[in-house]
């Protein structure tokens, strides 16, 4: 959607508006949008709560302004988020147009320019057109969800003369922002919510929010968090904040960030307080890193805590140094720091039974569990413990490679006909069928991977016309589990085959694709449907499978090697050879 190469573009003032550099306290700041609670390492001499930001102040139409200037002034007024009701923008419209125009339905991002009709004598004319011509970049819905857009933009604005002054009479029913407006006024943020039926961890929900200068970044983020999750994830999560909870103010007292809420917060049960604190510090991210946070109710004494104490809620689950595994000689081995790998304890580390496509459960499981395909009749599971044996958890003759979620449940898709798939999940040896819609059921699910936060699935689907990648939301309700909000992340393309997928973190999916020009690895943001980095990694070796965590990628080459990719050096290094295959990290 939003190419990072353009992010550093110089901001320019549009006609009809003024750009002002504002510096303030906790309520007026430009801050990093990512991050998580971490131990303090930053320099408070560069305070993230009081950095300056660029503010655009809308101005009203000038007397005698030409049609082109009226439209440019209107566009600039649309980008002034101090004016919540867009009253200044409506001054550029005729009274009827001001009543009809609904900018809240959709925000459209474009790159382009305005072109007036230069064939008219504006002294004599009473009606003219100014046309926005350019390229579509993205769409942002009222919830803040962004989807990519492409293709040409041709939007005519019809103007008429009222009492000798030009005003816009017909216009697009949307809020139109330039790419520069987006990066000046919006922040891409991850909101965090607890799972709906579990007490473990958090689920990320990515949105774009306009920062109102009168409120600033921290207050804008917390108010958006209180508004709840987007519809795409709503049925899969909850919130520790009670209905009606409001934010009074955010202040900074020394090294403490104080969030003062309304009295509704007093109704939060004690067993939900940790989840509430985790929601706050993970959403605020680097704003509160290294500080103390205090929650108050209507100015009273409150609860103080450190953000780093809630690192255990990490939606990526895997933190620090993560044990990786690979297959060699028919056994599952675990990597060592140096030298050859060592067989895992239990049946998976033995050669007694032939198995394939292993997956390892969360490191929080003790002992960890290995799932694999075996005997052509289902998914089998064995504990990584001495004497641990295989047990069939899911029965089926044509199953996809298994995938674990963070709750100790193994997932797999079964091909029941050339044009139909079923999805199964199993916990403690008991299998249950997952409800899926036709969009996911039609075709063969070649691979199915559960995200590390346990809230989404990614699937490679072959419908006979090519391979695609689909994303869905997991909704759990006791034994009844369904996948909803299914969307296509990658459409089928001629001469391209999706070979493998692996979750890098809770929001990003690594995709291995093969086409006419060879193989490439691409990281996709599943919540935005875009490639957020500089583009794909071109591959020289023929790769069979991949595995990933936030900072590392492993790949199995056809030559019988497992390779690791250095993000810093942009290079591959052999990690294991002599027939090494199928590298895996826990989950994902």
């Amino acid at each position: 959607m939003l190419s990072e190469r353009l992010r550093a573009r110089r901001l320019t003032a549009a006609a009809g508006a003024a750009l002002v550099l504002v510096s303030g306290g906790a309520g007026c700041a430009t801050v990093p949008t990512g991050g998580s609670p971490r131990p303090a390492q930053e320099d408070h001499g560069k305070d993230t709560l009081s950095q300056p930001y660029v503010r655009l102040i809308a101005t009203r139409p000038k007397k005698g302004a030409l049609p082109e200037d009226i439209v440019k002034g209107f566009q600039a007024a649309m980008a002034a988020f101090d004016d919540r009701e867009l009253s200044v923008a409506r001054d550029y419209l005729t009274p009827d147009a001001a009543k009809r125009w609904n900018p809240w339905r959709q925000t459209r991002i474009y790159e382009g320019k305005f072109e007036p009709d230069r064939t008219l004598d504006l002294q004599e004319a009473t009606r003219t057109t100014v046309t926005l011509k350019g390229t579509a970049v993205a769409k942002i819905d009222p919830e803040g969800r962004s989807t990519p857009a492409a293709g040409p933009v041709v939007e005519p604005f019809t103007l008429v003369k009222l009492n000798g002054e030009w005003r816009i009479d017909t216009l697009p029913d949307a809020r139109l922002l330039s790419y520069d407006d987006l990066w000046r006024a919006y922040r891409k943020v991850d909101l965090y919510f607890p799972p709906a039926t579990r007490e473990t961890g958090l689920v990320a929900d990515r949105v774009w929010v306009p920062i109102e200068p009168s409120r600033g970044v921290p207050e804008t983020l917390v108010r958006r968090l209180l508004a709840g999750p987007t519809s795409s994830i709503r049925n899969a999560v909850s919130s520790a904040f009670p209905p009606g909870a409001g934010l009074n103010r955010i202040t900074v007292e020394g090294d403490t960030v104080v969030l003062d809420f309304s009295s509704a917060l007093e109704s939060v049960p004690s067993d939900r307080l940790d989840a509430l604190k985790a929601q706050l510090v993970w959403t605020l991210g680097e704003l509160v890193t290294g500080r103390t946070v205090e929650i108050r109710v209507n100015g009273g004494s409150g609860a103080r805590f450190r953000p780093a104490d809630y690192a255990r809620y990490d939606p990526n689950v895997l933190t620090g140094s993560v044990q990786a595994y690979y297959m060699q000689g028919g056994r599952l081995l675990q990597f060592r720091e140096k030298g050859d790998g060592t067989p895992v304890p239990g049946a998976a580390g033995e050669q007694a039974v032939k198995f394939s496509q292993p997956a390892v459960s969360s490191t929080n499981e003790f002992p960890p569990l290995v799932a694999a395909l075996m005997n052509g009749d289902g998914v089998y599971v064995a504990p990584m413990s001495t004497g641990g044996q295989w047990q069939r958890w899911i029965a089926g003759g044509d199953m996809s490679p298994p995938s674990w979620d963070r709750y100790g449940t193994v997932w797999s898709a079964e091909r029941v006909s050339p044009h139909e798939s079923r999805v199964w999940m199993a916990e403690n040896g008991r299998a249950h069928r997952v409800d899926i819609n036709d969009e996911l059921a039609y075709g063969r699910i070649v691979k199915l991977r559960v995200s590390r936060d346990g809230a989404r699935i990614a699937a490679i689907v072959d419908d006979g016309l090519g391979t695609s990648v689909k994303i869905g939301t997991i909704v759990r309700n006791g034994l009844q589990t369904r996948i909803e909000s299914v969307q296509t992340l990658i459409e089928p393309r001629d001469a391209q085959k999706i070979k493998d997928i692996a979750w890098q973190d809770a929001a990003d999916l690594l995709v291995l694709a093969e086409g006419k020009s060879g193989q490439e690895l691409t990281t996709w943001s599943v919540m935005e449907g875009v490639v957020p980095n500089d583009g794909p990694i071109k591959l020289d070796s023929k790769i069979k499978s991949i595995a990933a965590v936030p900072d590392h990628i492993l790949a199995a080459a056809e030559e019988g090697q497992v390779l690791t990719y250095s993000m810093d050096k942009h290079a591959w290094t052999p990690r294991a050879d002599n027939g090494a295959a199928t590298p895996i990290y826990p989950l994902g």
Side-chain angles (χ1 to χ4, degrees):
M1 180 195 73
L2 306 172
S3 174
E4 298 289 346
R5 64 183 169 80
L6 297 173
R7 187 172 185 177
R9 174 184 298 176
R10 178 178 57 89
L11 293 174
T12 58
L19 286 174
V20 179
L21 189 66
V22 180
S23 180
C28 300
T30 295
V31 298
T33 59
S36 60
R38 293 190 298 273
Q41 294 180 343
E42 75 284 338
D43 177 9
H44 283 305
K46 191 174 183 180
D47 195 337
T48 57
L49 285 170
S50 58
Q51 292 178 16
Y53 58 83
V54 177
R55 177 179 185 177
L56 191 149
I57 300 174
T59 59
R60 301 187 183 279
K62 293 182 179 179
K63 187 175 180 61
L66 297 175
E68 183 179 2
D69 293 331
I70 290 294
V71 176
K72 288 181 177 179
F74 171 70
Q75 191 279 331
M78 281 192 287
F81 285 91
D82 274 15
D83 184 4
R84 296 182 189 177
E85 300 302 320
L86 294 177
S87 60
V88 174
R90 294 179 194 277
D91 282 351
Y92 288 84
L93 310 179
T94 65
D96 286 344
K99 293 177 182 178
R100 295 192 309 266
W101 182 52
N102 180 10
W104 319 119
R105 292 176 57 187
Q106 187 181 83
T107 297
R108 293 160 56 188
I109 313 301
Y110 70 91
E111 287 195 278
K113 60 181 181 179
F114 294 98
E115 296 184 3
D117 182 354
R118 301 189 186 280
T119 64
L120 295 177
D121 181 352
L122 296 180
Q123 294 294 328
E124 300 295 331
T126 59
R127 179 179 292 267
T128 189
T129 300
V130 175
T131 304
L132 169 61
K133 294 183 179 181
T135 303
V137 177
K139 297 178 182 178
I140 300 176
D141 70 15
E143 294 183 314
R145 289 184 300 169
S146 171
T147 55
V153 172
V154 180
E155 293 286 1
F157 292 75
T158 301
L159 294 89
V160 298
K161 272 185 180 177
L162 290 181
N163 300 320
E165 299 293 336
W166 289 105
R167 293 294 181 264
I168 300 169
D169 191 48
T170 59
L171 69 161
D173 209 18
R175 191 171 197 164
L176 296 173
L177 298 180
S178 71
Y179 188 87
D180 285 341
D181 290 331
L182 178 79
W183 283 109
R184 174 191 52 77
Y186 275 75
R187 297 292 182 273
K188 179 173 63 174
V189 299
D190 287 343
L191 309 174
Y192 291 92
F193 300 92
T197 58
R198 306 276 183 159
E199 295 298 324
T200 305
L202 293 170
V203 174
D205 190 14
R206 182 164 297 165
V207 296
W208 286 78
V209 293
I211 305 302
E212 297 181 23
S214 59
R215 288 180 170 175
V217 176
E219 185 177 343
T220 300
L221 297 191
V222 175
R223 291 188 184 278
R224 179 59 188 84
L225 178 66
L226 294 177
T230 64
S231 56
S232 65
I233 200 75
R234 185 172 299 142
N235 293 330
V237 299
S238 62
S239 179
F241 287 90
L247 177 68
N248 295 328
R249 66 188 65 85
I250 298 178
T251 56
V252 178
E253 298 179 3
D255 201 39
T256 300
V257 179
V258 179
L259 298 104
D260 188 33
F261 291 94
S262 66
S263 56
L265 215 67
E266 294 176 339
S267 65
V268 177
S270 58
D271 61 355
R272 296 286 282 171
L273 279 176
D274 275 351
L276 184 149
K277 295 174 183 177
Q279 280 188 260
L280 275 177
V281 297
W282 274 87
T283 297
L284 288 169
E286 293 181 9
L287 282 169
V288 294
T289 297
R291 300 175 182 269
T292 298
V293 177
E294 182 174 346
I295 295 176
R296 296 176 184 172
V297 176
N298 291 332
S301 59
R304 293 166 59 90
F305 55 95
R306 303 288 295 183
D309 294 339
Y310 294 86
R312 67 185 187 277
Y313 282 82
D314 192 339
N316 298 321
V317 181
L318 305 180
T319 58
S321 179
V322 181
Q323 179 65 61
Y325 306 84
Y326 65 101
M327 290 288 290
Q328 188 179 54
R331 299 183 296 177
L332 183 65
L333 279 64
Q334 55 188 8
F335 282 105
R336 294 195 304 171
E337 191 69 29
K338 294 181 179 180
D340 297 334
T342 57
V344 301
E350 302 169 356
Q351 294 175 309
V353 179
K354 186 177 181 179
F355 64 94
S356 65
Q357 302 294 336
V360 175
S361 68
S362 169
T363 52
N364 294 328
E365 293 279 342
F366 188 80
L369 301 174
V370 180
L373 301 181
M374 191 183 303
N375 301 328
D377 66 356
V379 175
Y380 286 72
V381 175
M384 275 193 207
S385 60
T386 303
Q389 299 300 310
W390 293 107
Q391 177 187 4
R392 188 169 69 171
W393 279 26
I394 303 175
D398 192 355
M399 307 297 296
S400 69
S403 175
W404 290 96
D405 67 23
R406 68 184 303 173
Y407 307 114
T409 302
V410 67
W411 294 64
S412 182
E414 178 188 15
R415 183 186 186 187
V416 294
S417 77
H419 301 293
E420 182 184 0
S421 292
R422 295 173 182 166
V423 174
W424 296 88
M425 57 185 291
E427 187 173 6
N428 296 324
R430 296 185 296 274
H432 305 280
R433 187 173 169 182
V434 178
D435 292 333
I436 58 177
N437 61 20
D438 291 342
E439 185 174 354
L440 193 58
Y442 183 77
R444 181 189 180 193
I445 299 178
V446 181
K447 294 280 180 73
L448 183 147
R449 300 295 186 200
V450 183
S451 63
R452 291 199 168 95
D453 63 6
R456 297 175 177 87
I457 64 100
I460 302 175
V461 180
D462 188 344
D463 62 1
L465 300 176
T467 51
S468 62
V469 177
K470 296 181 183 293
I471 305 294
T473 300
I474 300 171
V475 178
R476 308 167 193 263
N477 184 14
L479 297 179
Q480 299 296 317
T481 301
R482 68 181 185 274
I483 298 174
E484 63 177 34
S485 300
V486 177
Q487 296 183 342
T488 300
L489 182 69
I490 303 175
E491 297 281 356
R493 299 173 188 168
D494 292 339
Q496 175 180 280
K497 184 176 183 179
I498 308 298
K499 303 282 289 185
D500 202 4
I501 53 177
W503 289 94
Q504 281 195 288
D505 52 36
D508 297 312
L509 186 73
L510 188 66
V511 179
L512 172 64
E514 184 173 18
K516 292 181 179 179
S517 60
Q519 290 185 326
E520 59 185 29
L521 281 174
T522 308
T523 300
W524 286 79
S525 169
V526 300
M527 286 184 273
E528 297 174 277
V530 297
V531 178
N533 58 12
D534 293 332
I537 302 170
K538 297 294 184 180
L539 299 173
D540 296 325
S541 299
K542 193 78 168 180
I543 299 299
K544 299 173 65 176
S545 67
I546 54 175
V549 288
D551 299 318
H552 299 279
I553 298 173
L554 292 172
E558 285 192 352
E559 295 83 0
Q561 284 185 319
V562 170
L563 311 172
T564 183
Y565 185 73
S566 169
M567 302 289 191
D568 296 331
K569 298 179 181 179
H570 304 289
W572 293 93
T573 304
R575 183 78 186 272
D577 49 22
N578 298 324
T582 321
I584 54 174
Y585 285 107
L587 307 176

